[in-house]
Amino acid sequence: MKINAPHTVYFVSLGCPKNRVDTERMAARLTGRGFHPVTSPDEASLILVNTCAFIESATEESLDTILELASYKESGRCDKLVVTGCLVGRYGSELSKSLPEVDLFLDTRELDRALRELDKLGTPLPRASEPPARDRLLSTPPHFAYLKIAEGCDNRCTYCIIPKLKGPFRSVPIDPLVREAEELARRGVRELILVAQDTTRYGTDLSEASGPAELTARLSNIHDLRWIRMLYLYPEKISGELLDVVHDRENLLPYFDLPIQHVSRNVLKGMGRSGISRSAEELVETIRRRIPEAVIRMTVMVGFPGESDKDFQELFDFVNKVKPQHLGGFRFHAEEGVPASRFPHQVPREVQEQRLQWILELQAQISLQHNKSRIGHRETVLVEGPSEDRPGWMEGRTWRHAPEIDGLVLFEGKASPGDWVTVEITDADEYDLMGRRLEPA
């Protein structure tokens, strides 16, 4: 590989936190082969793009990003452009024809093989030199990190292409995960966020007896981890044992991220999720009865083929009744390669968009109610940094807010990223809380 010295690399990670973890592993491997990370693509001799292709808009973003960064092969120092991730898993050999600018395509469904291919792009550092990174080169702020506990998915939701892109569900054994979490804690991580395509399925494919309750209990023993958060908790597999562990361990956050998608039996059957043994409403009631302070985040889909006005009204009424603290909504996309794209009774796009608008407007009202209920309370806040919207203010998060998807706490007073401070909440809107700093938490 002909590269101007010194070797430099620029990374872009698109899509979900699971992709981010893969990117961090590839970054660590490259730095171990003599590359130095840079923050601008025009300084990089190697550019690596980890792509997302979950839906059409993500595919378009991936392609646009690749083409934009390919220009640095002419205007910058870039000698090699490497593309990895879901786009490669989805389109495979077709990409080499449509994107001749790319020098190497790597399918991260086989991450170990991809890492071995990356080894060929650099020169190992001399033994006497200081190792530049461990297994991951973190791209998050130093105080939080994601822990990917499994890869792939065994669900066969008719609207989703993930099993095709990522393969079957494969859990990482508990002991390596605990060691990784311990290492992250030694490096200063205080909030650990567990991710997988289906977090509550964890351990079902392992020979030893294990599951999300056992895993989180082990992780909660790591003293320096002040917050442990779980994302992507499929409703049908949330057990009483898991609720008990979360209730009993102080650093296991009672934050429940539930990708319910819908509540109409008709729609759930079409989605391939008719195996849900209890209703979402019953689950939320169970969680709140066991853990009254629990925070509920939901993801819902509108406009699935065959969704009638009655089906949508059932979803709307459900959200209005259970009043989740957070909700993410999106409309069905007839993606190439997913069974539901061929279903009859496709819902017109304008109807989908209207339904999405209605449900997001409802959630804005609900979120405002939840946020205003915090006024007058003193909250422990993990500081992220200076506010971009309010000069002179800082921003951070309470345990009720997951990074990058939920709101923020904006407050007056000085602090540094990673600090724990106490903030008295004085105001609120649909997304954020506002207040003033009192003293360190």
Side-chain angles (χ1 to χ4, degrees):
M1 179 179 180
K2 182 179 178 181
I3 300 181
N4 298 326
H7 296 354
T8 51
V9 58
Y10 177 77
F11 303 97
V12 175
S13 187
L14 303 174
C16 65
K18 299 180 287 293
N19 260 17
R20 182 192 283 263
V21 174
D22 289 343
T23 303
E24 292 172 347
R25 295 196 191 286
M26 290 185 281
R29 185 62 67 98
L30 285 169
T31 56
R33 302 292 294 187
F35 285 87
H36 300 279
V38 293
T39 57
S40 176
D42 61 3
E43 300 174 2
S45 52
L46 185 150
I47 295 176
L48 185 144
V49 186
N50 193 3
T51 59
C52 178
F54 178 49
I55 57 176
E56 181 181 351
S57 59
T59 299
E60 291 174 354
E61 181 187 15
S62 294
L63 293 172
D64 290 344
T65 301
I66 292 167
L67 293 174
E68 177 186 351
L69 293 174
S71 66
Y72 289 96
K73 296 182 74 174
E74 300 297 329
S75 63
R77 297 184 55 222
C78 181
D79 184 67
K80 293 289 184 182
L81 176 61
V82 179
V83 172
T84 72
C86 295
L87 192 73
V88 181
R90 184 166 187 175
Y91 296 105
S93 59
E94 300 175 27
L95 291 176
S96 59
K97 300 174 183 177
S98 57
L99 293 170
E101 303 91 341
V102 176
D103 298 285
L104 180 63
F105 293 98
L106 297 176
D107 189 343
T108 49
R109 283 179 296 187
E110 299 179 84
L111 184 59
D112 289 341
R113 182 178 178 184
L115 292 174
R116 290 194 295 272
E117 289 296 317
L118 291 176
D119 282 346
K120 301 174 184 178
L121 300 179
T123 303
L125 293 177
R127 289 181 181 273
S129 66
E130 181 71 17
R134 300 168 180 90
D135 290 338
R136 290 168 59 183
L137 186 65
L138 294 182
S139 58
T140 53
H143 49 273
F144 81 85
Y146 296 98
L147 183 71
K148 187 163 75 167
I149 66 173
E151 182 62 276
C153 187
D154 282 346
N155 297 320
R156 290 297 179 264
C157 303
T158 60
Y159 54 82
C160 184
I161 200 169
I162 291 297
K164 178 181 178 181
L165 299 182
K166 294 294 188 178
F169 188 85
R170 308 177 301 282
S171 301
V172 180
I174 284 184
D175 287 344
L177 287 175
V178 172
R179 288 194 296 269
E180 183 177 358
E182 290 171 339
E183 173 62 23
L184 290 169
R186 282 192 291 269
R187 294 166 65 179
V189 169
R190 295 296 172 261
E191 178 183 7
L192 189 70
I193 305 169
L194 277 56
V195 293
Q197 193 62 36
D198 182 353
T199 302
T200 38
R201 186 182 287 268
Y202 175 79
T204 57
D205 58 323
L206 298 177
S207 56
E208 66 268 23
S210 58
E214 292 86 349
L215 173 61
T216 50
R218 288 276 302 275
L219 294 175
S220 71
N221 293 326
I222 302 174
H223 176 72
D224 288 333
L225 294 177
R226 187 163 175 175
W227 288 351
I228 301 174
R229 186 187 307 275
M230 292 177 283
L231 299 182
Y232 312 111
L233 301 171
Y234 272 60
E236 51 266 46
K237 296 184 181 65
I238 295 179
S239 65
E241 184 183 10
L242 179 60
L243 295 182
D244 288 343
V245 172
V246 173
H247 176 272
D248 295 340
R249 305 294 178 107
E250 185 176 356
N251 58 351
L252 294 182
L253 300 181
Y255 178 100
F256 294 88
D257 174 39
L258 310 175
I260 64 166
Q261 311 309 358
H262 219 283
V263 293
S264 162
R265 290 290 174 182
N266 171 57
V267 175
L268 289 171
K269 182 178 180 181
M271 288 179 167
R273 298 189 61 173
S274 56
I276 296 177
S277 60
R278 55 181 168 176
S279 74
E281 185 176 339
E282 291 172 339
L283 173 60
V284 173
E285 289 176 354
T286 300
I287 292 172
R288 287 176 168 164
R289 184 171 56 250
R290 183 71 179 96
I291 312 174
E293 70 275 20
V295 164
I296 305 296
R297 162 173 260 280
M298 291 181 173
T299 307
V300 299
M301 176 190 292
V302 301
F304 187 81
E307 182 192 54
S308 65
D309 289 343
K310 181 180 178 182
D311 293 326
F312 173 74
Q313 188 66 50
E314 187 177 347
L315 177 63
F316 186 93
D317 291 343
F318 163 78
V319 173
N320 195 31
K321 183 174 183 179
V322 303
K323 292 182 168 35
Q325 281 85 350
H326 310 291
L327 181 140
F330 60 102
R331 62 181 185 85
F332 170 76
H333 291 260
E335 295 293 325
E336 178 185 357
V338 302
S341 66
R342 303 185 298 273
F343 284 5
H345 311 299
Q346 297 283 327
V347 178
R349 178 166 181 166
E350 59 271 20
V351 175
Q352 293 181 330
E353 292 176 346
Q354 180 65 77
R355 289 174 179 174
L356 181 59
Q357 180 182 342
W358 282 333
I359 211 157
L360 293 180
E361 287 176 349
L362 170 64
Q363 181 59 35
Q365 298 171 18
I366 294 170
S367 296
L368 180 60
Q369 294 171 8
H370 282 300
N371 286 348
K372 284 194 169 184
S373 73
R374 305 311 303 169
I375 293 176
H377 287 256
R378 296 184 175 190
E379 302 281 359
T380 298
V381 172
L382 177 56
V383 178
E384 297 287 6
S387 171
E388 295 182 0
D389 299 325
R390 295 195 177 200
W393 288 50
M394 302 296 293
E395 63 184 33
R397 296 178 288 111
T398 73
W399 68 265
R400 298 175 180 83
H401 303 96
E404 302 174 333
I405 56 174
D406 296 332
L408 295 165
V409 178
L410 307 171
F411 64 92
E412 299 175 278
K414 294 182 179 180
S416 299
D419 285 350
W420 301 88
V421 301
T422 299
V423 175
E424 182 179 10
I425 305 303
T426 58
D427 199 2
D429 62 23
E430 294 92 337
Y431 305 103
D432 302 323
L433 304 174
M434 282 69 76
R436 60 186 181 89
R437 178 181 175 177
L438 298 179
E439 73 276 339

